[in-house]
Amino acid sequence: MRIRIAGARVLGGQAQDIEIADGRLAEPGSAGRPDLTVDADGLIALPGLVDMHVHLREPGREDAETVETGSRAAARGGFTAVLAMANTQPTADTAGVVEQVWRLGRESGWTQVQPIGAVTAGLEGTRLAELGAMARSAAGVRIFSDDGHCVSDPLLMRRALEYVKGFDGMIAQHAQEPRLTEGAQMNEGVVSAELGLPGWPAAAEEAIIARDVLLAQHVGARLHICHVSTAGSVEIIRWAKSRGARITAEVTPHHLILTDDLVRSYDPVYKVNPPLRTAEDAAALRQAVLDGTIDVIATDHAPHPAEHKCCEWTAAAMGMVGMETALAVVRLAMREEEGFGWDQVARLMSRNPARIAGLPGQGHGFEPGAHANIVLVDPGAPHTIDPADSASLGRNNPFAGTEVDTAVHSTFLYGHPVVLDGELQAPHPASKEDTWPL
């Protein structure tokens, strides 16, 4: 298929035409007569977004999300690749389960789905999962995480780091000291004291990060810190990077802008793990995004059935959805931060996550020959976020009713338009064939 994208501003620069032929970018004027021309006047062209942290729930919790519905949501959000966390039922702790998720993603064809394997069997933190078998599987797993649970045993964490180092794998840690957070319902601070809710101290996150960066440096392994949420965590990561540790870190859009003051409403949509922190923490996270201490913005998309959120605070599940609104929320959160432009969006939401996750077809620039994973963004599309207008099964979006001005116009997955003018089109036509490029 030959496609001409006419007049797009690549990374916010001058308007130019982008040509796609057979799934790759072509020299301008070389692709011949296009089968499809997309008018991109006023639109920004970015490399397809890559989300390093999503929960697609399948297998086992298809009432919350499926690979199909989550992939559709990803495409609408401009994501051409997502990495699916292991806390499914059964847990993605064997080659069989990660291959199931990988094949479901291939067959869906809306985005590239790469499974993340569990670090420990059943996420129970007592013995290592089948790390080598998952790495050797068709899914080719390279990132392992017990997300939702912390690998709290330091010896087990060391062994995991040593094991994955052998094939340049990576451990993605959910930093939460379990004994310090027993029964915790929100950030520990002034608001938790006033509301009488058990608090979750910042030190519970920071202590695990401090331990793990030392372990990672000791064994020379790769460590990724999931959903960083405190100013103290930023300082520890900054220090570790200054010592040459192989550390990367992510932040979510919601931790960049939302604070624990919202818990005063007792609306469970604001209940999340790690919890919303203070305004000072959010400001430190935004600065860390600007100065490169934080490498990736990832959504931690965590859909739940309505009954798990429409209940009293203490009984509610933790988690928020976010793939379809991530780009708009990031732009909203960073709007007053000087120096944050479209190239920074591409770095944090495409190039860095693709590089860290080892996805060779993703995160490219716009040079001829590169895989045509592209998102077109309308920076002047004011609208109100409405969870009902979602491809995801989850409606637990904390930004419901928020006014934003950025919208995804079109998403091209390996040269195929899966979204045009904000509407889902059709999955990649080769998704069920051996020629599928993923």
Side-chain angles (χ1 to χ4, degrees):
M1 185 177 189
R2 301 178 185 272
I3 300 172
R4 178 172 296 140
I5 301 172
R9 295 171 54 206
V10 174
L11 298 177
Q14 294 296 316
Q16 62 185 78
D17 289 354
I18 301 169
E19 301 210 16
I20 300 171
D22 300 322
R24 293 181 182 264
L25 294 170
E27 291 279 2
S30 67
R33 184 187 181 96
D35 301 298
L36 172 68
T37 298
V38 178
D39 181 4
D41 182 39
L43 303 182
I44 308 296
L46 301 175
L49 307 183
V50 177
D51 195 340
M52 278 190 68
H53 191 146
V54 305
H55 298 271
L56 299 183
R57 304 303 191 199
E58 190 177 11
R61 288 309 310 270
E62 290 83 357
D63 57 331
E65 191 77 286
T66 66
V67 172
E68 172 73 18
T69 59
S71 294
R72 287 170 173 255
R76 287 191 63 189
F79 291 97
T80 53
V82 299
L83 282 85
M85 281 293 176
N87 58 340
T88 51
Q89 297 176 1
T91 305
D93 56 2
T94 65
V97 179
V98 295
E99 284 191 358
Q100 178 186 2
V101 174
W102 177 72
R103 292 188 189 283
L104 285 169
R106 284 172 62 95
E107 292 168 2
S108 175
W110 296 101
T111 192
Q112 181 174 350
V113 176
Q114 177 62 34
I116 291 176
V119 179
T120 68
L123 309 180
E124 294 176 354
T126 57
R127 61 183 177 88
L128 292 181
E130 298 178 8
L131 307 182
M134 288 187 280
R136 293 188 299 270
S137 72
V141 176
R142 287 297 178 270
I143 301 179
F144 302 87
S145 180
D146 277 4
D147 185 63
H149 300 272
C150 178
V151 183
S152 59
D153 183 324
L155 181 59
L156 197 63
M157 185 63 175
R158 173 180 176 168
R159 296 293 181 244
L161 289 165
E162 290 173 330
Y163 195 105
V164 302
K165 180 184 175 183
F167 50 82
D168 199 31
M170 184 173 69
I171 301 298
Q173 176 69 293
H174 173 111
Q176 177 191 351
E177 167 52 55
R179 290 301 303 278
L180 291 176
T181 56
E182 291 177 359
Q185 293 291 315
M186 64 170 298
N187 178 55
E188 182 180 288
V190 172
V191 179
S192 67
E194 290 179 1
L195 299 180
L197 289 173
W200 182 318
E205 175 174 303
E206 295 157 10
I208 293 295
I209 294 175
R211 183 202 75 179
D212 286 352
V213 297
L214 292 172
L215 286 174
Q217 187 169 31
H218 179 66
V219 304
R222 298 172 64 204
L223 172 70
H224 181 74
I225 308 299
C226 297
H227 43 49
V228 175
S229 70
T230 79
S233 296
V234 167
E235 290 304 316
I236 295 166
I237 294 165
R238 188 174 284 130
W239 171 82
K241 288 188 169 187
S242 74
R243 290 168 55 93
R246 301 177 70 192
I247 308 299
T248 54
E250 73 186 32
V251 67
T252 70
H254 49 270
H255 283 114
L256 289 174
I257 191 170
L258 302 182
T259 71
D260 60 355
D261 273 326
L262 291 165
V263 182
R264 297 181 190 278
S265 69
Y266 289 105
D267 186 341
V269 75
Y270 300 118
K271 189 175 182 181
V272 67
N273 181 348
L276 301 178
R277 304 288 188 179
T278 67
E280 291 75 18
D281 289 312
L285 294 170
R286 293 193 296 272
Q287 180 56 44
V289 162
L290 289 173
D291 67 25
T293 301
I294 287 177
D295 306 90
V296 169
I297 297 175
T299 67
D300 194 7
H301 175 82
H304 290 289
E307 62 269 23
H308 291 186
K309 280 291 191 178
C310 297
C311 56
E312 65 272 23
W313 178 276
T314 55
M318 294 180 176
M320 301 170 170
V321 297
M323 281 193 289
E324 290 165 272
T325 55
L327 188 55
V329 170
V330 168
R331 289 265 294 163
L332 178 67
M334 301 298 292
R335 68 186 184 281
E336 296 181 3
E337 304 295 336
E338 187 174 346
F340 188 84
W342 291 110
D343 192 62
Q344 286 68 38
V345 171
R347 173 174 60 86
L348 289 149
M349 299 184 74
S350 180
R351 292 195 296 265
N352 280 357
R355 172 182 55 80
I356 292 165
L359 301 178
Q362 301 286 344
H364 292 296
F366 287 83
E367 64 278 2
H371 288 288
N373 290 308
I374 299 170
V375 57
L376 298 180
V377 181
D378 188 343
H383 63 282
T384 302
I385 292 175
D386 180 3
D389 177 28
S390 177
S392 170
L393 296 182
R395 297 293 182 264
N396 48 307
N397 191 321
F399 296 100
T402 301
E403 297 287 338
V404 293
D405 59 10
T406 303
V408 170
H409 181 279
S410 299
T411 305
F412 299 86
L413 175 66
Y414 288 95
H416 178 74
V418 290
V419 174
L420 286 174
D421 200 14
E423 299 295 329
L424 290 165
Q425 300 298 301
H428 198 292
S431 60
K432 295 176 176 61
E433 302 172 6
D434 291 338
T435 55
W436 185 216
L438 305 188

